[in-house]
Amino acid sequence: VTTVALKDVTKVFRTGTLAVDRVNLDVDDGEFMVLLGPSGCGKSTVLRMVAGLEEPSSGAVFLNGELANDLPPRDRSVAMVFQDFALYPHLSVGDNIAFPLRLAGLEPGRRGERVADVAGALGIGDILDRRPGQLSGGQRQRVAMGRAIVRRPELFLMDEPLSNLDSGLRSELRAEISGLTRELGVTTLYVTHDQTEALTMADRVAIMRKGILQDVGTPSQVYGRP
Ligand code: ADP
Ligand code: ADP
C-alpha cells in the first residue's frame, strides 16, 4: 500500500457515539501526513479504520486505489506503532523485532540479518538480548519502531508514539522518525494532539475536531490561515 483515500468515512460506535463524521482525506505516496486534534476527536478511530481494525459505518477506505473496507488487517501492507509500545515482555529485544518476520515465515538466518539492519539504523544494536522491562522509554519506542519497519511495510500508522516520553526524548525521536520514514520512502499517517509534532514532522497536516476534518494543508498553509 502506498496511497490512502478516505471518502465520506463515518464511524458510529454501538454506543451511539459519532466518532468520525464524513471524513475525506487523501494521503499521497511517500507522504508524511499528521492527523492533529484534541483527545477524543476521532483520530485513532480514523487510523484504526485504515489499519482494518474497525470497519467504517459508511463511506469507503481505499488503499492503493482499491476499496479496502472489508480487507483484513493481515492483507494490508501496514505497520502500526502505539503510544504504549505493546512489546512482548517475555521476549528479548531481538525476538520482539523479529516477531513479524517469524509470523511471515522468514527463516532464522534472514531474520537475524534483517533485525541487525533495523536495530543498527535505530541505534539499538547493542541491546538485542535485553527484555523490554530493562529498557528506557526511548529504547522501548525504538524497539516498537524496529518491529514495525522490519517487514518493510508500505504504510506506516503511528498513534501518539511519543506521548509517554519526556520532552528531551520527544524532540530527539521526532527528528528520528521523520528522518527514518523519509529515508524508507514509506507513506505515513501519524496521529497526535501535539502541535509541535505536527509542525516539525508533517508534509501535510489534517486538523480534526469532534469527528470532522476541518482543514488539510502544509504546516504553513494550515497555521497561516485565519
Ligand atoms: P482520539 O484518537 O482523537 O482521542 P478516538 O478515535 O479514540 O479519539 O475516539 C473518538 C470518540 O469515539 C471518543 O468519544 C471515544 O470515546 C469514542 N470511542 C472510541 N472507541 C470506541 C469504542 N470502541 N466504542 C465506543 N466508543 C468509542
Ligand atoms: P496480531 O493479531 O496482532 O497479528 P496475534 O494474533 O499473534 O497478532 O496476537 C494478538 C495480540 O496478542 C497481539 O496484538 C499482541 O498484543 C498479543 N500477543 C501476541 N503474541 C504475544 C506474545 N508473544 N506475548 C505477548 N503478547 C502477545
Side-chain angles (χ1 to χ4, degrees):
V1 176
T2 47
T3 67
V4 180
L6 304 179
K7 302 283 182 222
D8 283 322
V9 169
T10 292
K11 179 68 184 185
V12 184
F13 284 107
R14 254 188 290 257
T15 52
T17 302
L18 173 60
V20 175
D21 189 3
R22 286 165 293 169
V23 160
N24 288 286
L25 181 67
D26 285 295
V27 188
D28 299 332
D29 186 19
E31 183 172 37
F32 198 112
M33 174 74 79
V34 173
L35 193 52
L36 175 71
S39 175
C41 73
K43 306 180 298 294
S44 297
T45 304
V46 168
L47 207 67
R48 292 171 59 79
M49 289 191 285
V50 174
L53 301 173
E54 298 282 358
E55 242 182 274
S57 307
S58 63
V61 175
F62 295 91
L63 297 176
N64 258 354
E66 308 242 354
L67 183 64
N69 286 30
D70 298 328
L71 196 66
R74 66 173 176 280
D75 296 335
R76 307 176 183 215
S77 179
V78 163
M80 244 177 129
V81 176
F82 304 92
Q83 174 176 0
D84 62 2
F85 317 129
L87 299 177
Y88 306 135
H90 59 285
L91 297 182
S92 69
V93 165
D95 287 342
N96 263 281
I97 297 174
F99 194 76
L101 300 179
R102 194 135 80 110
L103 288 185
L106 207 70
E107 46 100 1
R110 299 269 296 121
R111 291 208 292 267
E113 282 167 30
R114 292 270 288 273
V115 169
D117 279 353
V118 164
L122 289 164
I124 51 174
D126 53 345
I127 57 166
L128 290 177
D129 292 331
R130 290 198 210 162
R131 299 288 169 95
Q134 302 168 294
L135 305 180
S136 69
Q139 289 172 326
R140 279 183 215 170
Q141 192 50 278
R142 289 192 176 88
V143 176
M145 285 182 35
R147 191 180 53 184
I149 62 176
V150 75
R151 281 197 70 182
R152 300 173 185 154
E154 293 167 12
L155 177 63
F156 210 7
L157 303 177
M158 290 191 257
D159 194 348
E160 305 265 7
L162 306 184
S163 300
N164 283 339
L165 303 175
D166 66 43
S167 67
L169 259 177
R170 275 209 302 273
S171 66
E172 201 178 305
L173 278 165
R174 276 202 304 268
E176 230 172 81
I177 291 173
S178 322
L180 191 66
T181 55
R182 285 174 174 92
E183 199 177 303
L184 297 169
V186 63
T187 308
T188 304
L189 185 54
Y190 183 102
V191 160
T192 185
H193 64 271
D194 183 316
Q195 275 201 16
T196 307
E197 288 176 24
L199 274 171
T200 56
M201 300 172 83
D203 292 320
R204 285 190 301 157
V205 185
I207 296 182
M208 214 175 161
R209 226 168 280 286
K210 295 182 179 163
I212 292 170
L213 209 59
Q214 288 196 322
D215 203 357
V216 184
T218 63
S220 59
Q221 284 171 342
V222 163
Y223 287 102
R225 277 172 201 156

